[in-house]
Amino acid sequence: MAATGQLDDLVKDYLLFRGLTSTLRAFENELKNEKDKGFRVDKIIEQFQLYVAGYELAQLREYWAYLDRRLFSRLDQVYASSIRKLEVSMLKYYLINAVQNNRMDRVSEFFERLSSELQNQVEWKDWFVLPFIKNPEENPSFSMYFTKIWLDTFLLSLHNFLNVIFQSMPLPPLLSFKEEQAKLAQLQDENNMYSEQLTALMEKKQLEEHLKRKSADRGVIRTSRQDAIQGSMELMDEFYTGTQDTVTEEPKRSSHPKLQIKPLFHNIRKSLPNTLGHLQGKDDNPISKAKAKEIKTKSKAQNSPPRRMKLQEEHEKQRQELLGKSQPNKEKITTDGSAQYYRSSKEPEGQFRQGSSSDSNSSANQRMQERINIPTSFVQKESSQPVKRIPSDPLLSSAISNTKSPFMLLSQDNYTEHRSSIIHCRFSNTGHCIASADVDGIVKVWSLQPSPVTVATIISKSGVMSLEWASPTDKLLLFGNKSGCVRLYDIKDKKTTCETMVDEVHPRVVSLSYSAVQCKFVCSSVSRGRYSSEGQADNSVQRMGKVALWDMKTMKLEKDLPMIPGPVAVNCTTYNHNGNLLITGAVDGMIRIFDMRSYDCIAAWGAHLGEVYSVQFSNDENSFYCMGSDGKFLQWSVHKMSTKIQDLPLHPGATGPFTVTGPGGYQQTQKPKGKLFAFDSDGKYVLTCADTGGKIYKVDNGMTDTMYLSGHKSPVVTVDWSSATDTKMCLTGSMDGSVRVSALLSA
């Protein structure tokens, strides 16, 4: 309704744009005389005050009649008494204002015009003497109406009543553009969120590809090293072959072998350190496949027949000097296991031979006994420096070490239409609608397509204490209040289908459970609590109650279930899937199981050292879970009754009572009334209440803390988990009046 004025301006601009000036003038004139005041409650209250201050009784009654036709007549019949009280208070406000301003003529005129209408009404039997009392503000019958407290209370009640009506009115499509704008903004936010998630997934994929490339590069490095070493060994072997094959022909042709062999050793020394440098880790960058091929090709090119012939021709004169006797004693020096060099124990440092494990023929063994002169500095580097490893990627290591959550948080929606603490929030059986109730007796039914939108608003005369969906679809809703009233509400038709009263001795309806198979529901009602003279609850006396079975088609009582031992107040009830078993948890800490075919209590035992607040069957219904005021979360067997399966560890404060503190010593405490825990569709994870959010545990021979759904400003007092949709939807209701919906996706 807040967008009404903005929409009026848009309509004016449109009419002006179209040139419909006569229509524009008519529209502006109607707006000036509009009685709805743009659905602004403050303007309506101001209009009433103007009529009262101007003593315009006829206009005052006419304006109230207009609102009655326009708004009040469309409400349920249960609000007729409230509307009647407000109308009587408005007329009394008119009289009090006239008396305070010494306008007794207006008081006499009031009774002359309305005496025939008011004389048979009980509310006015004492007011006919008002014109004849000298000081009515001192009279006990009228003194209350002359106080500022009464006037402020009346105006505030009227303001709140009109405000609730306007919020509950269905909006025309043209006026819902603000909601559409909010939906578009939310869709944009969701789009941005999905884009960020997609970017994260792409980065994760790139990280995995980076890991694969590093693994492949390590394989290439190993292959390149082996090829490079093998090429160097082949070069040496060919050199030895060339010199040894020609030594027997001309043994004494050269007299200065050292001077003439320098160019040959210079080439060998240039190739060997560069090749073996990869073994030492001098180059930190990984060798690519192309470079490895180039090294291998170059090594083979050096070992080609033309190269060997050139070496033989150039150094044919010095082949005798290169030959030496075999050295029997050798020490083995290994760098990395790929190549082995042998040093004679009798030779000076710097003279090495290359060895091979192959002894397939005598000529190969003969070649491996020849010596090659290598610089000492190279030998020291080779033996002292270890092979460097490729440095690890810090991003990769952090990703590997990070513990993944079992769920990914897709989105969170916050419903803030309630003005007081939440006591119940429940998904419908289809998961498309949500029902929530607060301590003021306001029940909201809303959907999430695509953002939270209120479908229906239900106002109860007294505080709502129990809530239950009563159909497989989103059509019917059951709720009970503190006055003993149980109402069946039709969501689609937006009206109360049926209403009934429970036992007057036990008027507080604290739990409702519906069985779709039998089309019946059980109702747990308890007596009113006792209070001390200071206003504190007296817990020394145990509250009494009863559990009754009702037929939902006729809304009639069928049977009271026997409470053994009893009678005792029952806080929570739950059916199994076929409605044959009913489990209850009571204020005496006992669990009772009923066979609903014979209506007998088949088992009862003490489960908690205090009240039982919440019970629920497991996924396979072979066991059930319960929470109590002693702070324990227990699992019990259904087949072996009174047999405890496990005592699950739980964080402090998960079972209440829930407390909010404020400045000046303000403190509000709320006892649990809704569901304190809820399982997912697989029964592996449980959602519980926490300080400012919901905490998810994995249940498997104990409980493991897996995720925290934050976002509230006050303690969460009730939760729910829908299993009707593919994406897991969690509900958390808080004392700050907000209900938060979290969409999860299994990781």
Side-chain angles (χ1 to χ4, degrees), residues 133-421:
I133 299 178
K134 190 172 184 179
N135 295 317
E137 62 271 12
E138 298 177 0
N139 191 291
S141 301
F142 304 104
S143 60
M144 179 185 67
Y145 300 99
F146 287 86
T147 61
K148 189 175 184 300
I149 296 177
W150 179 85
L151 178 60
D152 292 342
T153 303
F154 162 65
L155 294 178
L156 181 61
S157 300
L158 181 60
H159 185 282
N160 293 340
F161 187 76
L162 293 173
N163 195 23
V164 171
I165 292 176
F166 290 154
Q167 287 184 357
S168 305
M169 288 178 62
L171 300 179
L174 188 60
L175 197 56
S176 61
F177 77 97
K178 276 286 186 183
E179 296 181 1
E180 297 295 332
Q181 189 177 13
K183 290 178 183 178
L184 290 176
Q186 183 183 6
L187 290 175
Q188 184 65 34
D189 294 340
E190 291 181 358
N191 187 27
N192 295 335
M193 180 188 64
Y194 293 144
S195 298
E196 292 175 359
Q197 293 176 0
L198 180 61
T199 303
L201 291 175
M202 292 177 65
E203 290 177 354
K204 182 180 178 183
K205 186 176 180 181
Q206 291 175 359
L207 196 62
E208 294 175 352
E209 292 177 355
H210 180 62
L211 177 61
K212 291 180 181 179
R213 284 198 302 270
K214 281 187 173 291
S215 301
D217 288 345
R218 293 191 185 101
V220 171
I221 291 170
R222 288 194 292 268
T223 306
S224 302
R225 290 172 179 171
Q226 294 173 1
D227 293 343
I229 295 170
Q230 184 179 359
S232 302
M233 293 171 64
E234 291 176 358
L235 178 60
M236 296 179 192
D237 290 344
E238 294 296 338
F239 172 74
Y240 294 139
T241 303
T243 56
Q244 190 149 342
D245 290 342
T246 58
V247 71
T248 55
E249 298 178 0
E250 298 182 9
K252 295 181 180 180
R253 290 184 64 177
S254 178
S255 60
H256 302 286
K258 290 185 179 180
L259 294 174
Q260 298 178 4
I261 205 169
K262 279 185 178 181
L264 174 63
F265 277 100
H266 179 70
N267 293 333
I268 296 175
R269 286 161 66 180
K270 281 176 65 178
S271 62
L272 271 176
N274 290 334
T275 305
L276 296 175
H278 299 294
L279 298 176
Q280 293 174 313
K282 291 180 180 180
D283 188 3
D284 291 337
N285 296 325
I287 301 175
S288 62
K289 295 183 179 180
K291 192 171 181 180
K293 278 188 176 181
E294 183 181 351
I295 293 173
K296 190 171 181 180
T297 307
K298 186 175 180 181
S299 300
K300 290 185 177 180
Q302 290 179 349
N303 299 329
S304 61
R307 178 66 176 170
R308 290 199 304 270
M309 293 299 294
K310 185 178 180 180
L311 290 174
Q312 290 175 7
E313 292 175 0
E314 186 178 0
H315 305 288
E316 186 177 1
K317 295 180 181 182
Q318 290 82 19
R319 58 183 179 273
Q320 286 184 348
E321 295 295 328
L322 294 175
L323 297 176
K325 295 183 180 180
S326 175
Q327 302 294 332
N329 299 325
K330 302 179 183 67
E331 290 181 0
K332 185 176 181 181
I333 300 176
T334 305
T335 57
D336 67 343
S338 300
Q340 295 177 339
Y341 297 93
Y342 294 86
R343 186 180 70 212
S344 174
S345 60
K346 295 181 181 180
E347 291 176 345
E349 235 178 290
Q351 294 181 351
F352 283 78
R353 285 197 233 170
Q354 182 178 9
S356 173
S357 60
S358 174
D359 56 355
S360 58
N361 52 65
S362 59
S363 61
N365 292 331
Q366 222 172 13
R367 289 195 301 270
M368 284 188 291
Q369 294 174 359
E370 310 307 320
R371 292 179 293 175
I372 299 177
N373 197 13
I374 301 178
T376 306
S377 61
F378 172 70
V379 177
Q380 291 174 349
K381 287 183 180 181
E382 182 69 35
S383 60
S384 62
Q385 292 184 358
V387 178
K388 293 184 180 179
R389 298 184 179 273
I390 299 175
S392 62
D393 193 334
L395 179 62
L396 179 64
S397 60
S398 64
I400 293 173
S401 62
N402 186 25
T403 304
K404 292 184 178 179
S405 174
F407 300 108
M408 179 186 298
L409 182 61
L410 294 181
S411 64
Q412 278 190 319
D413 293 305
N414 199 21
Y415 186 75
T416 57
E417 293 296 321
H418 290 280
R419 297 295 180 266
S420 57
S421 176

Side-chain angles (χ1 to χ4, degrees), residues 578-639:
N578 57 13
N580 291 336
L581 287 180
L582 177 73
I583 297 180
T584 65
V587 297
D588 58 358
M590 294 190 68
I591 293 291
R592 294 170 175 82
I593 301 181
F594 293 87
D595 185 348
M596 298 307 292
R597 292 167 295 188
S598 60
Y599 307 114
D600 294 331
C601 181
I602 58 178
W605 70 91
H608 290 274
L609 299 176
E611 298 188 29
V612 183
Y613 285 148
S614 192
V615 292
Q616 183 178 340
F617 276 98
S618 63
N619 190 45
D620 56 7
E621 296 191 350
N622 291 325
S623 63
F624 68 91
Y625 297 84
C626 59
M627 274 190 187
S629 60
D630 54 0
K632 290 189 176 181
F633 186 28
L634 307 176
Q635 182 183 10
W636 300 87
S637 174
V638 173
H639 304 294

Side-chain angles (χ1 to χ4, degrees), residues 5-134:
Q6 185 179 358
L7 184 60
D8 292 341
D9 294 337
L10 293 176
V11 172
K12 291 179 183 178
D13 292 341
Y14 175 74
L15 294 176
L16 187 61
F17 173 76
R18 291 293 306 275
L20 305 176
T21 55
S22 59
T23 306
L24 176 61
R25 286 193 295 269
F27 182 69
E28 290 177 343
N29 291 331
E30 294 225 358
L31 287 179
K32 291 178 182 178
N33 301 322
E34 178 201 19
K35 294 183 178 181
D36 291 332
K37 304 299 180 183
F39 298 102
R40 292 184 56 181
V41 179
D42 55 341
K43 294 294 183 180
I44 296 176
I45 300 295
E46 183 180 349
Q47 186 63 52
F48 275 122
Q49 291 177 325
L50 289 175
Y51 288 147
V52 171
Y55 309 106
E56 299 176 6
L57 179 61
Q59 287 82 352
L60 178 66
R61 298 196 66 199
E62 182 183 352
Y63 193 43
W64 185 272
Y66 169 78
L67 292 180
D68 190 26
R69 295 191 305 270
R70 181 81 169 83
L71 302 174
F72 303 152
S73 61
R74 302 183 182 184
L75 299 179
D76 290 344
Q77 191 63 28
V78 293
Y79 303 112
S81 59
S82 300
I83 297 170
R84 177 62 184 167
K85 289 179 181 178
L86 289 174
E87 183 182 6
V88 171
S89 298
M90 179 63 71
L91 296 177
K92 290 180 180 179
Y93 172 41
Y94 176 87
L95 288 174
I96 297 302
N97 179 72
V99 172
Q100 288 177 337
N101 292 281
N102 295 322
R103 295 298 302 270
M104 299 306 294
D105 56 332
R106 295 294 182 179
V107 176
S108 302
E109 179 190 3
F110 176 89
F111 286 107
E112 288 175 1
R113 296 179 60 178
L114 301 179
S115 59
S116 59
E117 182 180 343
L118 302 179
Q119 62 183 356
N120 295 325
Q121 298 181 13
V122 180
E123 299 91 347
W124 294 97
K125 66 178 182 179
D126 297 331
W127 284 76
F128 286 92
V129 298
L130 182 64
F132 309 102
I133 299 178
K134 190 172 184 179

